[in-house]
Amino acid sequence: MKKIMMLGTGGTIACKRGDSGLKPLLTSEELLSYVPDAADFCHVDSLQIFNIDSTNMQPKHWLVIAKAIEDHYADYDGFVVCHGTDTMAYTAAALSYLVQNSPKPIVITGAQKPIDMENTDARTNLSDSLRFASDDRSHDVNIVFDGKVISGTRGKKERTKSYNAFSSINFPYIATIQDGHIIFYLDDKRNCSGTPLFSHKLNCNVALLKLIPSMGADVLDYMAGHYDAVIIESFGVGGLPSYDTGDFYKAIEKWISLGKTVVMTTQVTNEGSNMSVYEVGHSIKKEFGLLEAYDMTLEATVTKLMWILGKTTDPKEIRDTFYHTVNRDILWTVS
C-alpha cells in the first residue's frame, strides 16, 4: 500500500464549536480517526503543522507547508493537506509554484462542516483525498473536494455554504471520484518526470485593486509607495478608465517609471481577459507593456507574482516567467 503523509493546518474540517463560534481544535490524528476505511488502501502518518482558521493563512504559512513536504518528500508516496476552505484556492496555487513538477501527488482538501458533525462533507472529502493521493496516476498539486479533482492553479471557492463549494476555472476537472472509484479525464503523468523543484521565498508586497465606477487613480499612487506589484481587476475583458483628467494613465506611468510590476486582469470569473479588444485597454497596455493574466485565476495570479518577485526584479525575467505555464495555470499563448 502507498505511504501517505497527512498535514494538518486547521480549518473548518478540524473545528469544534465554542462560545464564540467554530474554532480549529482537532488534531490531524483525530481527523484520521474519522476515516478508518482509508487503512484498506493506504498507510497514513500525520503531522500537525499548525491549527488555524484559514482566514489567518499567510504566505509564511505556505512556506512552512512546502518545507514540510520537502523535508518528508523522499519518505512518502503522496501528501494530503487538510485546510480551511476560505483561502484554500490561494494555498493550492501557492504550493503549485513552491513545489513544481512533482511526480508525487500533493492534495489539498477541507470541508464546509466539521468532521465530527453527523451531517458533514468532511469524511468523504478526506477519504477521497487519501485515495487520490494513493493512485499511481496522480501527480502535482490538486484540490480534491466534493468528488472533484481540480488543478491547484485553477480552483476557486464560488459557494460559501454548499458542499460543491469549488469550481475549476477556465480548465476541465482533472478527475472525479465516485463510490471509491477515480475517473481520470486528464491522465498525463507521463509528462511529469524527474525531480520536483522546491522554492523557499515569496515576496508578499503584491497588492490588488478592484475597480469600481468613479474610482480615482490616487489609490494607485498610494500603493506605489508600499508595494512592488499591483494586480488591477478591471471590467469585462479588461481596460482602464480614460477620464478627461488622464489620472490612470499618469498613475500607471509612475508605476512603470519606478520599475514596478502592473498586471491587468478581469473581475469576471470565467473566460479571462483580453485587453486588445477595446481602445481603453489596447492603447495603455501597448504603451507601457503591461502584463495581463488572461485565463489565469486571481489566486494563481497573486501567488505566481509573489513567487516570481521572490526570485527576480528584472522586468524581462518577470514577464517571461509570468507567461511560462506552471501546473496548467495559463493556456493563453503570448507572442
Side-chain angles (χ1 to χ4, degrees):
M1 291 194 297
K2 293 295 180 71
K3 191 176 181 183
I4 308 299
M5 169 167 275
M6 193 190 84
L7 308 175
T9 70
T12 297
I13 192 171
C15 276
K16 293 184 78 68
R17 187 169 296 280
D19 294 338
S20 300
L22 293 173
K23 181 178 180 180
L25 294 171
L26 295 175
T27 68
S28 52
E29 278 291 336
E30 289 173 311
L31 292 180
L32 282 175
S33 70
Y34 287 91
V35 288
D37 292 349
D40 295 339
F41 56 83
C42 67
H43 174 77
V44 190
D45 291 331
S46 65
L47 177 65
Q48 192 72 38
I49 306 179
F50 32 78
N51 213 357
I52 62 174
D53 190 299
S54 70
T55 298
N56 294 322
M57 190 66 62
Q58 300 176 56
K60 66 180 182 181
H61 296 114
W62 300 335
L63 292 170
V64 171
I65 297 170
K67 184 63 166 58
I69 293 170
E70 182 178 13
D71 289 345
H72 296 91
Y73 196 84
D75 301 322
Y76 291 89
D77 300 304
F79 300 85
V80 172
V81 180
C82 288
H83 194 286
T85 60
D86 288 349
T87 55
M88 183 185 293
Y90 284 99
T91 297
L95 290 178
S96 295
Y97 301 115
L98 292 172
V99 189
Q100 296 183 30
N101 193 46
S102 173
K104 298 180 180 181
I106 299 166
V107 178
I108 296 89
T109 194
Q112 292 286 67
K113 293 184 179 180
I115 201 168
D116 66 353
M117 292 183 67
E118 182 178 354
N119 295 314
T120 177
D121 56 334
R123 294 187 286 275
T124 298
N125 286 347
L126 182 52
S127 179
D128 285 350
S129 296
L130 292 169
R131 188 177 296 277
F132 187 78
S134 303
D135 195 285
D136 289 331
R137 297 165 291 179
S138 303
H139 66 96
D140 268 324
V141 179
N142 294 282
I143 293 171
V144 171
F145 208 95
D146 191 44
K148 304 178 187 73
V149 181
I150 303 168
S151 175
T153 60
R154 291 292 181 170
K156 181 179 287 290
K157 186 177 182 181
E158 292 197 307
R159 297 170 183 85
T160 58
K161 302 172 185 176
S162 303
Y163 287 167
N164 60 333
F166 286 86
S167 299
S168 183
I169 305 302
N170 297 326
F171 199 83
Y173 293 109
I174 305 300
T176 57
I177 305 172
Q178 301 174 7
D179 299 324
H181 297 281
I182 303 174
I183 303 168
F184 274 84
Y185 304 130
L186 288 173
D187 187 1
D188 60 352
K189 190 172 182 176
R190 62 188 177 280
N191 298 327
C192 184
S193 59
T195 57
L197 177 65
F198 290 91
S199 295
H200 307 96
K201 188 176 180 182
L202 295 168
N203 181 338
C204 305
N205 292 321
V206 174
L208 171 68
L209 177 64
K210 187 184 188 82
L211 293 186
I212 61 171
S214 82
M215 176 180 285
D218 52 342
V219 66
L220 272 175
D221 291 331
Y222 171 81
M223 286 178 167
H226 296 80
Y227 296 96
D228 297 324
V230 64
I231 301 162
I232 301 176
E233 268 195 342
S234 189
F235 313 112
V237 291
L240 280 168
S242 54
Y243 301 142
D244 293 339
T245 58
D247 288 348
F248 274 94
Y249 180 95
K250 296 172 185 174
I252 295 299
E253 186 177 42
K254 177 179 180 179
W255 271 83
I256 300 304
S257 68
L258 292 172
K260 301 193 175 189
T261 303
V262 179
V263 178
M264 297 298 302
T265 187
T266 173
Q267 298 175 18
V268 183
T269 301
N270 290 294
E271 299 182 352
S273 65
N274 184 358
M275 291 183 69
S276 65
V277 173
Y278 294 99
E279 182 183 4
V280 290
H282 180 272
S283 299
I284 198 165
K285 179 184 177 181
K286 183 177 180 180
E287 179 160 355
F288 294 114
L290 304 182
L291 295 176
E292 187 171 358
Y294 294 113
D295 61 293
M296 291 176 67
T297 66
L298 174 64
E299 293 84 352
T301 304
V302 168
T303 54
K304 191 172 193 176
L305 268 182
M306 289 182 177
W307 167 67
I308 293 171
L309 294 176
K311 293 160 55 72
T312 182
T313 58
D314 179 75
K316 184 179 186 306
E317 288 184 25
I318 292 171
R319 173 174 291 273
D320 291 346
T321 308
F322 186 79
Y323 289 131
H324 175 74
T325 301
V326 177
N327 194 20
R328 309 179 175 99
D329 63 351
I330 186 169
L331 296 178
W332 195 279
T333 301
V334 181
S335 58

